[in-house]
Amino acid sequence: MKAAIVVFPGSNREVDAKVALKQATGKDPVMVWHRDTSLPKVDLVLVPGGFSYGDYLRCGAIAANSPVLREVKARADAGMAVIGICNGFQIVTEAGLLPGVLLRNANLKFVCRNVGLRVETSGSRFTAGYKKGQVLSVPVAHHDGNYFADPRTLDELEAEDRIAFRYCGPEGRLDSIYNPNGSIRHIAGILNKKRNVLGLMPHPENAIEPMHGSTDGKALFKSMVEAVS
Amino acid sequence: MKARIHITLKNGVLDPQGRAIASALHALGFSSVGDVRQGKYIEVDLTETDKTKARSAVEQMCGKLLANTVIENYSIDLVD
Amino acid sequence: MKARIHITLKNGVLDPQGRAIASALHALGFSSVGDVRQGKYIEVDLTETDKTKARSAVEQMCGKLLANTVIENYSIDLVD
Amino acid sequence: MSVPKKITPEIVAEHGLSADEYKLVLEIMGREPSMTELGIFSVMWSEHCSYKSSRVHLKKLPTKAPWVIQGPGENAGVIDIGDGQAAVFKMESHNHPSFIEPYQGAATGVGGIMRDVFTMGARPIANLNALRFGEPSDPKTRHLVSGVVAGIGGYGNCMGVPTVGGEVNFHASYNGNILVNAMTVGLADSDKIFYSAAAGIGNPVIYVGAKTGRDGIHGATMASAEFTEDSEEKRPTVQVGDPFTEKLLLEACLELMATDAIVAIQDMGAAGLTSSSVEMSSKGGLGIELDLDKVPVRETHMTAYEIMLSESQERMLMVLKPEAMDEARAIFDKWELDFAEIGVLTDTGHLVLKKDGEVAADMPVAPLVEKAPLYERPWIPTPLQAEIAARDVPAPNDLLAALKTMIGSADLASRRWVWEQYDHLVMGQTAQRPGGDAAVIRLPGISKALAMTSDCTPRYVFADPKRGGAQAVAETWRNLTAVGAKPLAITDNMNFGNPQRPEIMGQFALAIEGMAEACKALDYPVVSGNVSLYNETNGKGILPTPTIGGVGVMADVGRMATVAFKAKGEKVLVLGETRGWLGQSIFLREIQGQEEGAPPPVDLGAERRIGDFVRGLIEAGEVVTCHDVSDGGLLVAVAEMAMAGGIGATLTTPAGAVEAHGFWFGEDQARYVIAVPAKAAEATEAKAAAAGVPVMTLGETGGDALSLDGRAAKLAELRSEHEAFLPRLMGAA
Ligand SMILES: Nc1ncnc2c1ncn2[C@@H]1O[C@H](COP(=O)(O)OP(=O)(O)O)[C@@H](O)[C@H]1O
Ligand SMILES: [Mg+2]
């Protein structure tokens, strides 16, 4: 599988993502600079975490308007896989690849900790390596991860099995005490209609080796690779 | 010319900042405070001198970048 | 009563957000854009009906919490 | 443009120069200085730049070891960590700005220290922060805690550098003067370190980064009013940080450093263009000429005075090889940062500044630096306090109840509320997160790791500066050792009151003596540091706070030890001698309401012997659970291990020990608690005995409670006490 990572000024988890993709594919992904107007031919584009353009105005808004994102969007419309992690989730949402928005965390504070994540669907190339209902431990690190969409959109996401992950307790129970940012219906990650775009706030790339305290993120990268090979 | 732009959250959209401000004001003893909503205020200097053209450009700026119309409304005032 | 509060950076204080917005607007082709400054806009609902009392309360809110008077200015409009 | 002005004694005083110092200025200049020149003298001769009160004492600190590549004197210290790599680190204070504007003050402090580290060619890989606030009940404290923590996170998180450690204390002496000390550790190739000494007459001087505004101009009250055309509002003296620009500056600098373009580089820190240009030229023994009209500015009508004294952030000064200019410019263009050739190196030995076609300053560089005032200020030693024997301190009815009170108190409560606001995982190399004895960051691609910590126990330093200074150094050494790292070197941040008061100067002089002794005994030199004086309000100084940042290395991160109990049925041992030292202890303060007595003695020989022994066990893979004993004593240490692991322990007060409360809450130094599999315990004890290390069995791990001599406290209960303090104090804030 060939993968690319889009790097914006202010991205900061691109190296973490690169390590995770390399671990899964055995190859270094292509790093694409935000001013590039064309994307190499790849099977997957990863939009990494960080603070693109300082997160000024709204998180992800300026990046979503960059030339390279137009290209990413066109490829996604044509069926290529796109994964947006954290700031990447904010960017692809701002770009309209996914519905809804990510608001400031409900308690207004940045939060970095491991959270419980319940796999809500294994029906996607990103989550095929997990069992539905499985509980993962993956870190979050964000200031604006409070997912919001109108009730109709949320109902649609649920009806179409497009919620990929929810924040949960160690046994998979949903409760606001396990929700690190106040996101609506405890949503941590969602898919687009065609299921080729995933956006999620947590960082699976920081849970891929024993030293991280959890290796639960590995299967996500592995699934993506297996989906194309 | 200068454009003064107000960007506010649409009705029904959760406003964590506004809520936090309200409860902080209550904690400070401002009991007459009800709802609080926080928005953005942006001033853009423009070299454009034609008001109609300026307005249409600022409309576009808002639609494309400054506001997220999924959750936000905007209003524009032009001043010389 | 409702208070409309504008909070803006004092003259001379660096406004990284404004700068980033300006260069994003340039990149989108809005060439007539000069300086951009970003501030906050806060609406506070008040049960207070006396205008003088309301203004003095909102002044206090701004001084104590809403504005950081070391680097920000504020202005208050009261509307019914 | 500035009107030439007569310099009055008032103007001199407002620039912080004494009459004698001004006489020296006149001598050096051979004439009356211009305002710009006076401003430059005032900055260069400030305490911050010249270390005029502290230098004679700082010289006593050991700064050399075979692994030290660069000691104090550059932007940051550099040590060799093997495999061709170097660790680059320093700590710096932003106390005063953080009190005025906590968010921006703390944020720009973090930005400044990171610049110091990447100026040397290192990529920052970790940040730490040592914070001291006033009493929790002080009305300002909550606001300050909230702003400072948000500011540190706001800057570090955006930079993508993990913030992995630090400390937080609360004490009334900081009510009007908080301390915000930030430390950055960076990684570089040991043969690619960049320095600030300018070289090559005719080489271009380049300004890169953000534009210059009227931020934080020194003496702003009069200077700006006099020199700006629009004096409509009083200019704020706080600087606003822009971490996004700094992130770009970091990437651009590192990209340029990978080429061969740079001759010298220096960040623009507190004293901006003044100290950067003066330091570069003085270190190179050259002159420098700057055309201030070429400096990228953010505001109109900036005067030479303002440009030279501006403290705008996110800027750097470099000397480049002329032939590399195009390549360098392209890199800064790519990162959309200003890049301006503003001057040239000369053979005149003078700093010459041009503005609007006039010469705004022309001053000899060497005397500006070398003749800077140096004071041997009078000092008196701190009167020592009596020792307090455990038997003279009333025992609590219930040791576990006392424990609960203590672990829920301001200084011992969990700091989770703080560190969860810091991205401590970005870069993916965090092997040990905040909450343990030291943070551990693995080096990319290898199993080697750096350990880092910051420590100081100000109440000890206050009671006995020398002992307290030694203790602070020893505690960092112990914390590094406890995770299995070999401590290599320290950085320090000396926060003290007014040096013109002999009792404060005494604290300073003696703390340095204690630090120096500890550094020598532990082979643990000082490679960088910072001094912050005049930390006082209304004539009352803060507790003297020489914050120490320690860095160590471990060969195999897989063998790292952590504080958490890992299994049931393990034996819990304490290594080191327990004598029940309650003077200046947390127990005495929180349970008896007394801040009294001599602090615990620091036996550096024992420290080293016991620490080396513990590290040996960890390196051999025999111990993976270890915690040093510090604030609160043994019982607090064991409780922390139990809470971290979610496994309880059953403890028994050893027969023949000192009074139980002295035994469990005494703060004797040079001790570690370890847990080892029951069947290995005997061998470990035998080894300890052979190495001359006192060892005692405390009990055994297991269950969901901490039991002591038949009484028990549930872990869940302990944890809720321990976790409650900060969230309760901070409320929804
Ligand atoms: N301001 C802070 N930022 C990040 N981590 C912190 C901060 N304050 C304390 N910590 C972490 O909390 C833990 C406990 O701190 P402390 O009680 O000072 O440790 P010790 O007594 O071992 O020196 C350490 O891991 C420390 O790094
Ligand atoms: Mg410790």
Side-chain angles (χ1 to χ4, degrees):
Chain A
M1 186 189 73
K2 280 186 71 181
I5 298 178
V6 187
V7 184
F8 295 97
S11 293
N12 66 29
R13 262 189 176 80
E14 74 274 20
V15 177
D16 309 37
K18 184 176 164 183
V19 170
L21 282 173
K22 171 118 195 233
Q23 189 193 55
T25 64
K27 282 184 300 218
D28 270 328
V30 189
M31 307 304 273
V32 179
W33 181 235
H34 75 124
R35 279 207 207 140
D36 298 354
T37 43
S38 73
L39 273 177
K41 235 183 89 58
V42 291
D43 308 299
L44 168 85
V45 166
L46 186 151
V47 189
F51 286 70
S52 57
Y53 304 94
D55 272 358
Y56 296 143
L57 189 64
R58 288 181 315 278
C59 300
I62 298 179
N65 280 288
S66 64
V68 69
L69 240 281
R70 237 166 283 149
E71 189 64 16
V72 171
K73 223 173 141 179
R75 295 279 186 91
D77 290 343
M80 184 194 63
V82 173
I83 177 171
I85 302 175
C86 197
N87 196 215
F89 186 13
Q90 296 160 346
I91 292 168
V92 298
T93 306
E94 277 279 347
L97 282 170
L98 293 171
V101 294
L102 293 142
L103 300 172
R104 177 77 9 137
N105 293 350
N107 71 358
L108 307 188
K109 285 199 278 289
F110 189 97
V111 58
C112 178
R113 73 161 86 111
N114 272 55
V115 295
L117 273 193
R118 195 171 77 188
V119 178
E120 299 294 290
T121 178
S122 50
S124 81
R125 63 185 91 190
F126 310 99
T127 56
Y130 299 112
K131 284 202 278 297
K132 183 177 163 133
Q134 188 178 343
V135 175
L136 319 176
S137 170
V138 177
V140 291
H142 61 247
H143 211 162
D144 299 77
N146 184 352
Y147 183 75
F148 179 85
D150 59 56
R152 232 194 41 223
T153 308
L154 294 169
D155 291 344
E156 195 180 296
L157 286 173
E158 282 175 353
E160 295 174 359
D161 192 31
R162 287 165 52 196
I163 297 180
F165 302 104
R166 280 191 161 98
Y167 302 110
C168 70
E171 275 93 43
R173 197 164 64 83
L174 303 179
D175 189 296
S176 58
I177 57 168
Y178 303 123
N179 181 333
N181 51 37
S183 97
I184 198 156
R185 301 191 194 178
H186 309 294
I187 289 174
I190 56 169
L191 295 157
N192 67 341
K193 254 190 206 309
K194 284 203 220 149
R195 312 183 85 75
N196 65 319
V197 178
L198 169 71
L200 78 168
M201 285 315 294
H203 289 287
E205 74 278 26
N206 286 154
I208 58 166
E209 54 170 321
M211 188 188 86
H212 289 152
S214 163
T215 53
D216 291 347
K218 257 173 109 160
L220 184 134
F221 295 95
K222 207 162 141 246
S223 312
M224 295 192 295
V225 176
E226 280 166 6
V228 289
S229 50
Chain B
M1 192 158 339
K2 195 195 265 302
R4 295 195 173 144
I5 304 163
H6 287 85
I7 298 169
T8 49
L9 283 173
K10 286 186 178 166
N11 265 334
V13 177
L14 177 77
D15 177 8
Q17 271 115 327
R19 259 198 6 208
I21 293 172
S23 62
L25 288 174
H26 292 154
L28 285 173
F30 294 104
S31 53
S32 83
V33 168
D35 228 25
V36 176
R37 305 283 282 172
Q38 173 167 334
K40 285 183 198 126
Y41 171 64
I42 300 177
E43 289 181 353
V44 179
D45 287 345
L46 296 166
T47 53
E48 180 61 66
T49 48
D50 179 304
K51 242 189 167 139
T52 326
K53 282 193 195 150
R55 176 168 297 275
S56 116
V58 178
E59 285 277 352
Q60 280 185 43
M61 294 177 204
C62 288
K64 272 198 179 164
L65 180 73
L66 301 180
N68 180 341
T69 51
V70 177
I71 47 163
E72 293 171 328
N73 294 321
Y74 57 87
S75 73
I76 302 168
D77 291 312
L78 288 177
V79 288
D80 295 302
Chain C
M1 193 157 338
K2 194 195 268 302
R4 294 196 175 143
I5 305 163
H6 286 86
I7 297 169
T8 49
L9 284 173
K10 285 188 181 168
N11 255 332
V13 174
L14 177 71
D15 179 8
Q17 306 230 38
R19 257 202 14 208
I21 295 170
S23 63
L25 289 173
H26 291 154
L28 284 174
F30 294 106
S31 53
S32 82
V33 168
D35 230 27
V36 176
R37 304 283 283 173
Q38 173 167 339
K40 282 184 203 133
Y41 170 66
I42 300 177
E43 290 181 351
V44 179
D45 288 343
L46 297 165
T47 54
E48 179 62 66
T49 49
D50 178 305
K51 240 184 171 148
T52 327
K53 285 195 193 147
R55 175 168 298 274
S56 113
V58 177
E59 285 278 351
Q60 280 186 45
M61 294 176 203
C62 287
K64 277 198 178 163
L65 181 77
L66 302 180
N68 177 348
T69 52
V70 179
I71 50 173
E72 293 171 331
N73 292 323
Y74 57 85
S75 73
I76 300 168
D77 292 311
L78 289 176
V79 287
D80 296 300
Chain D
M1 185 47 203
S2 61
V3 199
K5 279 198 59 138
K6 182 100 191 86
I7 291 180
T8 62
E10 289 73 46
I11 292 181
V12 170
E14 278 179 82
H15 279 79
L17 293 170
S18 70
D20 282 342
E21 288 168 350
Y22 185 61
K23 245 180 38 212
L24 193 56
V25 168
L26 291 175
E27 226 170 81
I28 291 172
M29 295 299 296
R31 61 173 163 82
E32 182 166 292
S34 70
M35 279 303 286
T36 303
E37 289 164 343
L38 181 71
I40 290 171
F41 272 105
S42 126
V43 164
M44 290 309 300
W45 290 5
S46 68
E47 196 66 66
H48 187 90
C49 286
S50 71
Y51 290 90
K52 57 190 171 192
S53 302
S54 55
R55 220 159 40 182
V56 291
H57 298 285
L58 292 175
K59 279 202 300 246
K60 295 176 191 150
L61 293 168
T63 60
K64 294 205 168 67
W67 53 90
V68 174
I69 296 176
Q70 175 66 52
E74 278 286 338
N75 286 300
V78 185
I79 56 173
D80 191 336
I81 54 169
D83 296 321
Q85 291 185 306
V88 178
F89 60 97
K90 182 168 190 279
M91 194 186 302
E92 198 155 82
S93 65
H94 235 207
N95 303 337
H96 189 61
S98 303
F99 187 74
I100 302 190
E101 211 309 277
Y103 184 97
Q104 294 298 343
T108 50
V110 172
I113 192 62
M114 279 196 273
R115 260 188 327 276
D116 273 332
V117 165
F118 70 78
T119 306
M120 305 286 301
R123 177 174 285 281
I125 57 168
N127 286 328
L128 295 93
N129 59 107
L131 312 177
R132 262 92 198 174
F133 298 104
E135 314 164 271
S137 59
D138 189 81
K140 279 205 82 151
T141 297
R142 201 166 156 254
H143 160 75
L144 291 167
V145 173
S146 141
V148 164
V149 170
I152 289 170
Y155 211 104
N157 298 346
C158 185
M159 286 292 287
V161 176
T163 301
V164 294
E167 44 181 341
V168 186
N169 285 160
F170 296 87
H171 191 274
S173 76
Y174 306 109
N175 281 356
N177 197 126
I178 62 172
L179 302 182
V180 175
N181 297 170
M183 170 171 166
T184 296
V185 181
L187 183 66
D189 289 343
S190 50
D191 60 354
K192 285 225 80 179
I193 307 294
F194 289 80
Y195 298 98
S196 58
I201 291 159
N203 274 344
V205 178
I206 312 297
Y207 170 119
V208 295
K211 294 189 194 321
T212 298
R214 293 191 173 98
D215 310 82
I217 292 176
H218 160 89
T221 36
M222 74 62 41
S224 311
E226 294 287 325
F227 285 97
T228 61
E229 265 153 29
D230 49 335
S231 50
E232 82 298 0
E233 78 187 355
K234 204 174 152 227
R235 301 270 173 196
T237 52
V238 291
Q239 313 123 33
V240 171
D242 179 1
F244 173 57
T245 297
E246 176 128 318
K247 167 76 172 159
L248 304 186
L249 187 61
L250 162 69
E251 299 300 338
C253 286
L254 292 181
E255 199 172 317
L256 181 61
M257 284 161 166
T259 73
D260 196 27
I262 300 177
V263 176
I265 179 165
Q266 166 75 40
D267 74 301
M268 294 192 219
L273 198 48
T274 293
S275 72
S276 54
S277 57
V278 170
E279 269 167 39
M280 286 177 97
S281 52
S282 100
K283 282 190 184 143
L286 293 176
I288 187 168
E289 187 175 314
L290 302 180
D291 182 351
L292 298 184
D293 293 319
K294 296 202 177 135
V295 171
V297 289
R298 203 170 75 219
E299 296 183 65
T300 48
H301 308 304
M302 286 191 67
T303 63
Y305 182 99
E306 290 173 326
I307 291 173
M308 289 309 289
L309 269 62
S310 162
E311 297 197 340
S312 292
Q313 303 288 299
E314 293 96 22
R315 304 177 298 160
M316 291 267 187
L317 201 63
M318 312 186 294
V319 174
L320 294 184
K321 294 183 182 157
E323 64 275 16
M325 286 286 285
D326 290 343
E327 187 183 10
R329 190 187 302 274
I331 290 173
F332 283 84
D333 278 352
K334 170 184 165 192
W335 292 98
E336 295 175 48
L337 293 166
D338 271 299
F339 177 99
E341 183 174 347
I342 63 166
V344 66
L345 297 180
T346 66
D347 60 0
T348 62
H350 275 232
L351 169 70
V352 177
L353 304 175
K354 299 216 168 120
K355 181 84 181 48
D356 301 321
E358 290 172 30
V359 174
D362 182 347
M363 50 210 302
V365 172
L368 178 59
V369 176
E370 284 151 22
K371 287 202 183 160
L374 184 59
Y375 296 122
E376 194 141 352
R377 299 203 185 272
W379 62 272
I380 50 174
T382 306
L384 295 183
Q385 304 194 28
E387 290 184 11
I388 296 178
R391 77 184 99 80
D392 297 331
V393 178
N397 294 331
D398 181 345
L399 291 172
L400 289 173
L403 172 71
K404 273 190 227 166
T405 306
M406 287 166 64
I407 60 173
S409 70
D411 276 353
L412 291 186
S414 162
R415 271 68 178 110
R416 183 185 306 280
W417 185 90
V418 174
W419 78 64
E420 282 193 349
Q421 295 185 58
Y422 302 151
D423 189 341
H424 47 265
L425 302 175
V426 63
M427 295 182 123
Q429 304 292 351
T430 306
Q432 185 148 171
R433 303 181 184 195
D437 282 328
V440 179
I441 299 289
R442 185 184 58 189
L443 304 183
I446 51 180
S447 60
K448 186 187 280 188
L450 292 181
M452 52 203 84
T453 179
S454 96
D455 292 282
C456 178
T457 314
R459 62 180 191 278
Y460 293 175
V461 188
F462 182 70
D464 182 340
K466 187 168 172 193
R467 210 173 255 192
Q471 192 276 340
V473 172
E475 185 168 347
T476 62
W477 191 86
R478 206 181 305 142
N479 275 319
L480 298 176
T481 297
V483 299
K486 164 124 189 62
L488 291 178
I490 64 168
T491 180
D492 66 65
N493 201 142
M494 309 294 292
N495 308 274
F496 288 76
N498 181 350
Q500 300 181 39
R501 291 200 291 134
E503 58 277 22
I504 300 291
M505 210 53 227
Q507 292 173 343
F508 189 88
L510 289 167
I512 293 265
E513 264 181 42
M515 286 163 56
E517 261 178 32
C519 289
K520 278 182 204 133
L522 300 170
D523 262 331
Y524 192 37
V526 180
V527 294
S528 57
N530 179 241
V531 176
S532 169
L533 300 175
Y534 299 96
N535 288 293
E536 49 181 64
T537 24
N538 306 327
K540 263 203 97 209
I542 55 163
L543 290 187
T545 311
T547 311
I548 308 297
V551 173
V553 66
M554 69 177 76
D556 180 4
V557 75
R559 296 217 160 152
M560 170 185 87
T562 66
V563 303
F565 283 150
K566 311 221 170 22
K568 296 180 196 137
E570 295 202 330
K571 282 264 181 292
V572 182
L573 310 178
V574 59
L575 301 166
E577 197 183 353
T578 302
R579 290 190 293 163
W581 194 280
L582 288 177
Q584 294 298 340
S585 66
I586 294 278
F587 172 82
L588 197 62
R589 190 180 77 194
E590 296 300 325
I591 305 298
Q592 306 298 345
Q594 290 170 272
E595 284 184 65
E596 273 171 35
V602 181
D603 176 343
L604 293 164
E607 193 72 69
R608 181 153 188 168
R609 187 172 67 253
I610 299 165
D612 288 347
F613 175 74
V614 169
R615 190 177 324 103
L617 293 178
I618 297 171
E619 283 171 345
E622 290 171 32
V623 166
V624 290
T625 303
C626 180
H627 189 9
D628 79 307
V629 182
S630 56
D631 278 349
L634 263 182
L635 196 56
V636 167
V638 176
E640 286 170 346
M641 298 172 84
M643 288 187 288
I647 297 172
T650 303
L651 310 173
T652 315
T653 309
V658 292
E659 284 71 10
H661 60 301
F663 181 81
W664 290 109
F665 298 126
E667 296 184 3
D668 305 274
Q669 299 294 295
R671 291 182 299 161
Y672 301 79
V673 177
I674 59 173
V676 288
K679 57 181 189 318
E682 228 171 276
T684 306
E685 288 180 58
K687 268 193 197 171
V693 170
V695 55
M696 233 182 224
T697 304
L698 300 175
E700 194 175 289
T701 62
D704 60 357
L706 198 62
S707 314
L708 173 57
D709 298 337
R711 295 204 204 194
K714 288 264 183 229
L715 284 190
E717 234 176 282
L718 292 177
R719 197 177 287 126
S720 71
E721 286 296 328
H722 188 53
E723 294 292 346
F725 172 78
L726 277 173
R728 200 190 301 133
L729 174 69
M730 301 310 295

